[in-house]
Amino acid sequence: MIGIDDILRAVIADLHLVAALTAAIYLLAFVCAVREIMISRTSQGSIAWILALTLLPFPTALLYLVVGWKAFDDYATDRIRNGRAARPLRAKDLALIDRETSDKWPVQVKVSEVPFLSGNDVELLVDGKATFNSIFAGIEQARDYLLVQFYIVRDDRLGQELAERLIERARAGVKVYLLYDDVGSTGMPRRYRAQLREAGIQVAGFNQRHKFMRIYGPTRINYRNHRKIVVVDGEHAWVGGHNVGVEYLGEDPRFGRWRDTHVRVSGPAALGCALLFREDWQWATGEVLPAAPPESVATPGDQSVLVMGSGPADKLEECAIAFTDIIGRARERLWIVSPYFVPDTDIRTALFAAQLRGVDVRVMLPNEPDHKLVWLASIAHADAMMEHGVAVYRYQDGFLHQKVVLMDDQIATVGSVNFDNRSFAINFEITLWFTDKQAIDGVEAMLLEDFRRCRQVDIEEVRRRSLPMRFLTQAARLLSPLL
């Protein structure tokens, strides 16, 4: 029979355990708070973390490990070993640098750590059918190697078609590499990867060397690889907003038409895209892909392209710096298209200033959400734009997912970067920058057609929002640094 002494001893033992766990949590919270002070980029975000760690150490300390503890020194080291710093010298030797354009856009060049490269042929690809027809045609022509990278790869009709085409090339002797993001491609079954590996294709998840709960492992959940890159033989590359799934072809009844944009570049810029893939692959697998310097590089066109890779391994939030720069330089128009619009204080201030100096600032957003929380935060930020005179448009013909910016008649971008803190500071992203008239005119014509399929939001719509809706959007807005 259990006596009172036995019960007391059990309680005391449990209290010792509880005390030990409490002490460990407070110690962890203290370490996290000290680290946040030492690496702080913005006082607002750091103060929020420190207050939460102080007042509610559990579960804030565990949450900080997942979404706040940035540790990508290993990636930066791999990037140095890949010889990125030597690339401009090699480009100079091959007479590929567009020096005049590079001098005109020094911020973008310094952020990218590579110059504008001349001699490219550029094709704008509107929506999924045009994009994947172009990509699959390129894959069919591969003779040496294929580098394929997507944030999302689904095991559906489109995913199987991609697999079949990659397997065919692998069996023809082409070296094929597929890199996917573990978070974006959570639903990818093992058999999908197995069929590729059986054909000799190298397949890797971005986090496969950094599993959950290893040292620094939890941070990999928050810091994702959002890039979409396909490179064929170092001569042709495809970059943009599409992932691999039938919804990107407009075949998901929930979304209907999926409005997205990709771009094909043929020429020296394709080597810049291959460099980013090699950096990601080395960090993900530990394997250094062979990359013998080419004796010569084909120049099939006359357009200049800058390949900008950005991510949490950057010393500064360099993606945000590059986009803030073009907002500040805009004099006539600034058209921004993004499915997620959650800008930070600096970006908002720059947009307000552009509107005040008479720039035609327009923001095109989806009318319906795919991710409810981000959509609610986007409404709050868009409403603030409206209050300051910035024009906001809602796309009506399906779901809008493209990531495009057009500034004056000077520069345009197409890539994977959304206009939010996640793309600017947290995710690994890629952006292609174009300055030639042909590319600018193509982007302008495409966006003018898109604006015709939009409705412009008026200030009265903002003021008519119900109190519950205003509360939800403002509450979601508080989470902007994490969205």
Side-chain angles (χ1 to χ4, degrees):
M1 186 172 182
I2 299 175
I4 190 68
D5 291 340
D6 295 326
I7 295 174
L8 286 174
R9 280 194 294 270
V11 170
I12 291 171
D14 288 343
L15 286 175
H16 287 160
L17 178 61
V18 171
L21 288 174
T22 302
I25 289 171
Y26 271 93
L27 178 60
L28 178 60
F30 176 76
V31 170
C32 292
V34 170
R35 188 177 188 280
E36 182 60 29
I37 291 171
M38 297 301 295
I39 67 162
S40 173
R41 285 185 175 182
T42 64
S43 59
Q44 302 97 320
S46 293
I47 289 171
W49 275 119
I50 292 167
L51 284 174
L53 288 164
T54 302
L55 299 175
L56 195 64
F58 179 82
T60 306
L62 300 179
L63 181 64
Y64 185 87
L65 288 179
V66 175
V67 300
W69 193 294
K70 174 177 177 285
F72 277 92
D73 292 342
D74 48 355
Y75 186 97
T77 301
D78 287 346
R79 187 162 60 185
I80 293 170
R81 289 172 179 166
N82 258 291
R84 177 183 285 215
R87 299 294 167 144
L89 297 176
R90 182 60 182 163
K92 180 180 178 182
D93 291 342
L94 295 170
L96 300 174
I97 295 177
D98 184 341
R99 201 172 301 279
E100 180 180 352
T101 303
S102 297
D103 290 344
K104 186 176 180 180
W105 304 98
V107 172
Q108 287 68 34
V109 168
K110 290 179 180 178
V111 165
S112 306
E113 299 182 16
V114 291
F116 275 89
L117 299 178
S118 59
N120 297 282
D121 179 67
V122 177
E123 180 185 10
L124 202 61
L125 301 168
V126 177
D127 289 343
K129 184 176 181 180
T131 294
F132 284 101
N133 283 346
S134 180
I135 289 174
F136 290 159
I139 289 174
E140 187 177 344
Q141 298 301 314
R143 295 294 176 265
D144 186 10
Y145 66 85
L146 273 167
L147 312 177
V148 181
Q149 177 176 4
F150 287 97
Y151 176 63
I152 297 171
V153 179
R154 301 203 191 282
D155 182 27
D156 57 13
R157 183 181 65 77
L158 184 62
Q160 280 299 324
E161 183 173 359
L162 173 66
E164 291 167 5
R165 290 175 178 273
L166 295 181
I167 289 170
E168 188 278 327
R169 286 291 82 201
R171 288 174 175 166
V174 176
K175 295 182 288 293
V176 182
Y177 303 87
L178 173 64
L179 183 64
Y180 62 91
D181 184 82
D182 306 74
V183 176
S185 301
T186 302
M188 180 190 292
R190 289 185 179 180
R191 59 177 173 76
Y192 186 89
R193 299 188 293 273
Q195 66 177 334
L196 296 172
R197 288 174 176 145
E198 288 172 3
I201 296 171
Q202 300 294 309
V203 182
F206 188 61
N207 293 328
Q208 76 173 31
R209 279 204 305 156
H210 308 274
K211 301 296 186 183
F212 183 74
M213 294 309 292
R214 289 186 182 179
I215 295 176
Y216 297 145
T219 65
R220 315 304 180 178
I221 295 175
N222 193 41
Y223 298 96
R224 306 165 194 168
N225 197 311
H226 194 241
R227 293 170 180 159
K228 295 92 173 167
I229 302 171
V230 176
V231 180
V232 173
D233 296 338
E235 298 176 357
H236 313 280
W238 289 259
V239 170
H242 290 89
N243 288 296
V244 180
V246 295
E247 67 267 35
Y248 293 86
L249 298 175
E251 296 179 9
D252 187 327
R254 175 189 169 195
F255 297 108
R257 182 190 181 196
W258 189 282
R259 176 68 191 89
D260 219 330
T261 299
H262 239 69
V263 66
R264 175 194 57 79
V265 293
S266 298
L271 291 174
C273 298
L275 170 62
L276 288 180
F277 181 94
R278 287 188 171 96
E279 291 173 351
D280 287 348
W281 184 267
Q282 181 174 346
W283 186 84
T285 68
E287 177 189 359
V288 180
L289 295 184
E295 293 299 324
S296 62
V297 178
T299 54
D302 57 2
Q303 297 192 54
S304 293
V305 178
L306 177 71
V307 180
M308 186 182 83
S310 56
D314 298 339
K315 292 182 179 179
L316 301 173
E317 293 181 2
E318 295 175 343
C319 183
I321 292 171
F323 280 94
T324 302
D325 177 67
I326 65 167
I327 296 171
R329 293 178 62 170
R331 291 296 177 268
E332 297 175 4
R333 67 179 173 188
L334 181 70
W335 296 352
I336 298 168
V337 187
S338 176
Y340 317 118
F341 184 72
V342 190
D344 63 12
T345 301
D346 293 338
I347 295 289
R348 290 197 306 270
T349 301
L351 290 171
F352 297 155
Q355 194 280 330
L356 288 172
R357 64 175 178 266
V359 177
D360 174 21
V361 182
R362 305 184 190 182
V363 179
M364 188 190 304
L365 304 172
N367 193 58
E368 300 295 333
D370 66 334
H371 298 295
K372 194 75 171 184
L373 187 61
V374 184
W375 182 70
L376 288 170
S378 295
I379 290 175
H381 285 284
D383 287 353
M385 293 290 117
M386 294 283 300
E387 295 286 355
H388 287 78
V390 173
V392 175
Y393 293 79
R394 294 283 178 183
Y395 191 75
Q396 302 294 293
D397 188 19
F399 180 69
L400 181 77
H401 191 256
Q402 62 175 324
K403 305 94 165 49
V404 177
V405 176
L406 176 62
M407 191 275 273
D408 294 348
D409 291 323
Q410 301 296 312
I411 198 164
T413 71
V414 177
S416 66
V417 173
N418 297 309
F419 238 73
D420 60 12
N421 183 66
R422 173 163 291 280
S423 278
F424 284 166
I426 300 176
N427 285 345
F428 290 87
E429 304 281 5
I430 181 171
T431 307
L432 301 187
W433 299 71
F434 309 95
T435 60
D436 290 274
K437 185 177 186 303
Q438 181 179 346
I440 298 293
D441 289 348
V443 171
E444 178 187 40
M446 177 183 72
L447 295 187
L448 285 173
E449 178 60 31
D450 289 332
F451 279 120
R452 283 192 282 271
R453 298 170 184 263
C454 292
R455 64 175 179 85
Q456 184 173 358
V457 182
D458 59 48
I459 196 66
E460 289 304 316
E461 178 180 334
V462 175
R463 292 170 180 167
R464 287 195 305 267
R465 294 201 196 285
S466 66
L467 180 60
M469 186 62 173
R470 290 203 302 273
F471 176 82
L472 288 173
T473 57
Q474 291 301 319
R477 183 172 179 264
L478 294 178
L479 299 174
S480 293
L482 302 178
L483 298 179

